[in-house]
PDB file of all heavy atoms in Angstrom:
ATOM      1  N   GLU A1145     -57.698 -33.688 141.321  1.00  0.00           N
ATOM      2  CA  GLU A1145     -57.409 -35.133 141.368  1.00  0.00           C
ATOM      3  C   GLU A1145     -57.596 -35.702 142.777  1.00  0.00           C
ATOM      4  O   GLU A1145     -58.183 -36.764 142.950  1.00  0.00           O
ATOM      5  CB  GLU A1145     -55.971 -35.386 140.897  1.00  0.00           C
ATOM      6  CG  GLU A1145     -55.812 -35.182 139.408  1.00  0.00           C
ATOM      7  CD  GLU A1145     -54.397 -35.467 138.925  1.00  0.00           C
ATOM      8  OE1 GLU A1145     -53.489 -35.714 139.755  1.00  0.00           O
ATOM      9  OE2 GLU A1145     -54.212 -35.435 137.708  1.00  0.00           O
ATOM     10  N   ALA A1146     -57.109 -34.967 143.761  1.00  0.00           N
ATOM     11  CA  ALA A1146     -57.197 -35.479 145.136  1.00  0.00           C
ATOM     12  C   ALA A1146     -58.626 -35.434 145.672  1.00  0.00           C
ATOM     13  O   ALA A1146     -58.950 -36.085 146.666  1.00  0.00           O
ATOM     14  CB  ALA A1146     -56.271 -34.683 146.057  1.00  0.00           C
ATOM     15  N   SER A1147     -59.493 -34.654 145.011  1.00  0.00           N
ATOM     16  CA  SER A1147     -60.879 -34.541 145.498  1.00  0.00           C
ATOM     17  C   SER A1147     -61.811 -35.510 144.773  1.00  0.00           C
ATOM     18  O   SER A1147     -63.006 -35.553 145.031  1.00  0.00           O
ATOM     19  CB  SER A1147     -61.382 -33.111 145.303  1.00  0.00           C
ATOM     20  OG  SER A1147     -61.544 -32.844 143.928  1.00  0.00           O
ATOM     21  N   ASP A1148     -61.236 -36.314 143.914  1.00  0.00           N
ATOM     22  CA  ASP A1148     -62.006 -37.136 142.978  1.00  0.00           C
ATOM     23  C   ASP A1148     -62.931 -38.169 143.634  1.00  0.00           C
ATOM     24  O   ASP A1148     -63.948 -38.541 143.059  1.00  0.00           O
ATOM     25  CB  ASP A1148     -61.028 -37.844 142.034  1.00  0.00           C
ATOM     26  CG  ASP A1148     -61.675 -38.135 140.709  1.00  0.00           C
ATOM     27  OD1 ASP A1148     -62.475 -37.288 140.269  1.00  0.00           O
ATOM     28  OD2 ASP A1148     -61.425 -39.220 140.159  1.00  0.00           O
ATOM     29  N   ALA A1149     -62.599 -38.633 144.825  1.00  0.00           N
ATOM     30  CA  ALA A1149     -63.434 -39.678 145.451  1.00  0.00           C
ATOM     31  C   ALA A1149     -64.376 -39.101 146.515  1.00  0.00           C
ATOM     32  O   ALA A1149     -65.104 -39.858 147.172  1.00  0.00           O
ATOM     33  CB  ALA A1149     -62.536 -40.754 146.059  1.00  0.00           C
ATOM     34  N   LEU A1150     -64.373 -37.779 146.693  1.00  0.00           N
ATOM     35  CA  LEU A1150     -65.263 -37.165 147.689  1.00  0.00           C
ATOM     36  C   LEU A1150     -66.705 -37.222 147.204  1.00  0.00           C
ATOM     37  O   LEU A1150     -66.970 -37.068 146.006  1.00  0.00           O
ATOM     38  CB  LEU A1150     -64.860 -35.703 147.931  1.00  0.00           C
ATOM     39  CG  LEU A1150     -63.550 -35.474 148.685  1.00  0.00           C
ATOM     40  CD1 LEU A1150     -63.151 -33.998 148.594  1.00  0.00           C
ATOM     41  CD2 LEU A1150     -63.664 -35.907 150.139  1.00  0.00           C
ATOM     42  N   ARG A1151     -67.637 -37.402 148.152  1.00  0.00           N
ATOM     43  CA  ARG A1151     -69.045 -37.483 147.767  1.00  0.00           C
ATOM     44  C   ARG A1151     -69.701 -36.102 147.682  1.00  0.00           C
ATOM     45  O   ARG A1151     -70.683 -35.924 146.989  1.00  0.00           O
ATOM     46  CB  ARG A1151     -69.809 -38.347 148.777  1.00  0.00           C
ATOM     47  CG  ARG A1151     -69.716 -39.830 148.457  1.00  0.00           C
ATOM     48  CD  ARG A1151     -70.473 -40.658 149.456  1.00  0.00           C
ATOM     49  NE  ARG A1151     -69.830 -40.589 150.771  1.00  0.00           N
ATOM     50  CZ  ARG A1151     -70.476 -40.361 151.916  1.00  0.00           C
ATOM     51  NH1 ARG A1151     -71.775 -40.159 151.923  1.00  0.00           N
ATOM     52  NH2 ARG A1151     -69.816 -40.343 153.064  1.00  0.00           N
ATOM     53  N   ARG A1152     -69.181 -35.125 148.443  1.00  0.00           N
ATOM     54  CA  ARG A1152     -69.907 -33.869 148.576  1.00  0.00           C
ATOM     55  C   ARG A1152     -69.246 -32.701 147.840  1.00  0.00           C
ATOM     56  O   ARG A1152     -69.298 -31.560 148.301  1.00  0.00           O
ATOM     57  CB  ARG A1152     -70.086 -33.562 150.057  1.00  0.00           C
ATOM     58  CG  ARG A1152     -70.743 -34.733 150.801  1.00  0.00           C
ATOM     59  CD  ARG A1152     -71.139 -34.385 152.202  1.00  0.00           C
ATOM     60  NE  ARG A1152     -72.275 -33.476 152.264  1.00  0.00           N
ATOM     61  CZ  ARG A1152     -72.313 -32.372 152.997  1.00  0.00           C
ATOM     62  NH1 ARG A1152     -71.265 -32.020 153.696  1.00  0.00           N
ATOM     63  NH2 ARG A1152     -73.386 -31.603 153.004  1.00  0.00           N
ATOM     64  N   VAL A1153     -68.623 -33.009 146.712  1.00  0.00           N
ATOM     65  CA  VAL A1153     -67.901 -31.982 145.959  1.00  0.00           C
ATOM     66  C   VAL A1153     -68.788 -30.785 145.634  1.00  0.00           C
ATOM     67  O   VAL A1153     -68.402 -29.622 145.812  1.00  0.00           O
ATOM     68  CB  VAL A1153     -67.304 -32.590 144.664  1.00  0.00           C
ATOM     69  CG1 VAL A1153     -66.813 -31.503 143.729  1.00  0.00           C
ATOM     70  CG2 VAL A1153     -66.165 -33.531 145.017  1.00  0.00           C
ATOM     71  N   ALA A1154     -70.041 -31.052 145.210  1.00  0.00           N
ATOM     72  CA  ALA A1154     -70.937 -29.952 144.828  1.00  0.00           C
ATOM     73  C   ALA A1154     -71.176 -29.033 146.023  1.00  0.00           C
ATOM     74  O   ALA A1154     -71.162 -27.802 145.891  1.00  0.00           O
ATOM     75  CB  ALA A1154     -72.258 -30.513 144.307  1.00  0.00           C
ATOM     76  N   PHE A1155     -71.353 -29.618 147.203  1.00  0.00           N
ATOM     77  CA  PHE A1155     -71.570 -28.816 148.407  1.00  0.00           C
ATOM     78  C   PHE A1155     -70.329 -27.971 148.725  1.00  0.00           C
ATOM     79  O   PHE A1155     -70.438 -26.782 149.030  1.00  0.00           O
ATOM     80  CB  PHE A1155     -71.905 -29.718 149.600  1.00  0.00           C
ATOM     81  CG  PHE A1155     -71.921 -28.960 150.893  1.00  0.00           C
ATOM     82  CD1 PHE A1155     -73.026 -28.188 151.247  1.00  0.00           C
ATOM     83  CD2 PHE A1155     -70.819 -28.977 151.746  1.00  0.00           C
ATOM     84  CE1 PHE A1155     -73.032 -27.449 152.431  1.00  0.00           C
ATOM     85  CE2 PHE A1155     -70.819 -28.237 152.922  1.00  0.00           C
ATOM     86  CZ  PHE A1155     -71.933 -27.478 153.270  1.00  0.00           C
ATOM     87  N   TYR A1156     -69.157 -28.596 148.648  1.00  0.00           N
ATOM     88  CA  TYR A1156     -67.922 -27.853 148.972  1.00  0.00           C
ATOM     89  C   TYR A1156     -67.754 -26.671 148.018  1.00  0.00           C
ATOM     90  O   TYR A1156     -67.352 -25.582 148.420  1.00  0.00           O
ATOM     91  CB  TYR A1156     -66.681 -28.753 148.895  1.00  0.00           C
ATOM     92  CG  TYR A1156     -66.764 -29.982 149.783  1.00  0.00           C
ATOM     93  CD1 TYR A1156     -66.388 -31.242 149.305  1.00  0.00           C
ATOM     94  CD2 TYR A1156     -67.221 -29.889 151.097  1.00  0.00           C
ATOM     95  CE1 TYR A1156     -66.470 -32.369 150.115  1.00  0.00           C
ATOM     96  CE2 TYR A1156     -67.312 -31.022 151.908  1.00  0.00           C
ATOM     97  CZ  TYR A1156     -66.942 -32.257 151.411  1.00  0.00           C
ATOM     98  OH  TYR A1156     -67.030 -33.373 152.200  1.00  0.00           O
ATOM     99  N   ARG A1157     -68.079 -26.900 146.757  1.00  0.00           N
ATOM    100  CA  ARG A1157     -67.933 -25.824 145.766  1.00  0.00           C
ATOM    101  C   ARG A1157     -68.936 -24.707 146.056  1.00  0.00           C
ATOM    102  O   ARG A1157     -68.612 -23.527 145.961  1.00  0.00           O
ATOM    103  CB  ARG A1157     -68.136 -26.371 144.340  1.00  0.00           C
ATOM    104  CG  ARG A1157     -66.969 -27.237 143.867  1.00  0.00           C
ATOM    105  CD  ARG A1157     -67.021 -27.406 142.350  1.00  0.00           C
ATOM    106  NE  ARG A1157     -66.060 -28.380 141.871  1.00  0.00           N
ATOM    107  CZ  ARG A1157     -64.779 -28.127 141.636  1.00  0.00           C
ATOM    108  NH1 ARG A1157     -64.289 -26.919 141.862  1.00  0.00           N
ATOM    109  NH2 ARG A1157     -63.975 -29.066 141.189  1.00  0.00           N
TER     110      ARG A1157
END
Side-chain angles (χ1 to χ4, degrees):
E1145 288 182 354
S1147 69
D1148 208 36
L1150 289 169
R1151 275 180 293 133
R1152 306 189 71 229
V1153 168
F1155 171 79
Y1156 304 135
R1157 288 197 189 277

